[in-house]
Amino acid sequence: MLSALTRWLFKIAGWRVVGPIPHLPKGIWAVAPHTTNWDFLIGLGIRPTIHIWIQYLAKSSLFTWYAGWLFRLLGGKPVYRDKSRNMVDSVVNVFNQNEQLHICIAPEGTRSNVEKLKTGFYYIALEANVPIIPVGFDWPRKLAILGDPIYVTGDYEKDMIPFYEFFAQVHGIKKDWLKKWEETGVMQ
C-alpha cells in the first residue's frame, strides 16, 4: 500500500526515473546533489518505481521516540556520528551479513554546500565489495537519473572519475566539490 502511494505521488509530482536499473543483489546508492528535505520523498518514490527496496542511512537524531518508528518503517538506519563508532566498519558488517542489501547514502553528508565529499560511501563499497550506483536528482527536469554501477578498486582518484563525470551531467544546483572538479580536474 505504502509503495503504491509513494509511486503514485512520485508520478503525480511529475518525476521520472531514467537510466539503467541495476539488477544486483547489493549496492551503495550515492545520491547527489542533496539540497533539500524533499530529496527524501523523491527517494521514496524511486524505490517502487524501479522495484528495488533501497534502505537509507540518516542521522540518529531523526530516530526519536515519536518518529523513529516511521523512519525505520521506511527503511531507515540510524547513523551515530560520535567518534567512538566506526560507521564504515559497521555498515560493511551489515552488508556481509545480508545476501541482498541496497543502501542509499548522500556522499555530501549535508544539504549545505560542501567543498569535498565524505569518503565513507567509497570505503564501504570497497570493503564490502559492492558497487556504487550514482543517482542524480535533476530538479529542473524532474528526473532521477541512474548511472552505471561503479566497481571500486582502492585507487580513489581513478575510481571516482566516472562518478564525477556522471554528476557533471546532472542539471541544477552544483556544489563546490563538483564545480572545482569541473574547473580544475582536481578532486577534493
Side-chain angles (χ1 to χ4, degrees):
M1 175 71 174
L2 186 58
S3 291
L5 176 62
T6 55
R7 185 174 56 236
W8 179 76
L9 290 172
F10 183 76
K11 215 173 208 178
I12 289 297
W15 280 80
R16 293 181 300 126
V17 176
V18 296
I21 297 172
H23 297 287
L24 301 166
K26 299 181 184 182
I28 297 283
W29 296 68
V31 179
H34 179 32
T35 58
T36 172
N37 286 331
W38 291 104
D39 294 343
F40 177 71
L41 296 175
I42 300 305
L44 291 180
I46 293 170
R47 298 186 309 190
T49 302
I50 64 172
H51 306 288
I52 298 174
W53 177 250
I54 305 166
Q55 297 179 290
Y56 61 93
L57 302 178
K59 59 186 174 183
S60 60
S61 61
L62 293 174
F63 293 81
T64 59
W65 65 270
Y66 56 86
W69 67 271
L70 177 61
F71 287 113
R72 284 182 179 84
L73 176 72
L74 296 173
K77 302 284 185 199
V79 172
Y80 300 91
R81 295 179 174 177
D82 60 31
K83 296 292 181 199
S84 67
R85 301 174 203 248
N86 184 319
M87 187 189 84
V88 170
D89 289 343
S90 297
V91 177
V92 167
N93 287 336
V94 173
F95 267 109
N96 290 338
Q97 294 168 5
N98 288 276
E99 288 185 32
Q100 291 194 356
L101 181 64
H102 294 270
I103 294 180
C104 174
I105 296 177
E108 296 161 332
T110 179
R111 293 180 310 273
S112 302
N113 189 20
V114 293
E115 293 185 13
K116 64 181 186 173
L117 296 175
K118 304 273 186 190
T119 57
F121 78 103
Y122 176 86
Y123 290 103
I124 292 168
L126 179 65
E127 293 178 31
N129 195 29
V130 299
I132 297 169
I133 298 131
V135 181
F137 283 175
D138 190 323
W139 280 89
R141 298 184 295 170
K142 291 189 175 184
L143 297 175
I145 305 170
L146 307 181
D148 290 321
I150 299 168
Y151 293 87
V152 298
T153 65
D155 184 341
Y156 182 83
E157 296 238 347
K158 181 180 173 197
D159 292 341
M160 292 300 286
I161 290 172
F163 185 87
Y164 277 73
E165 288 173 343
F166 171 82
F167 285 104
Q169 303 303 312
V170 176
H171 295 206
I173 294 172
K174 294 197 179 189
K175 294 187 182 181
D176 287 350
W177 66 270
L178 187 56
K179 286 182 199 173
K180 174 129 179 145
W181 179 79
E182 289 178 328
E183 293 168 5
T184 67
V186 174
M187 292 178 203
Q188 292 291 327

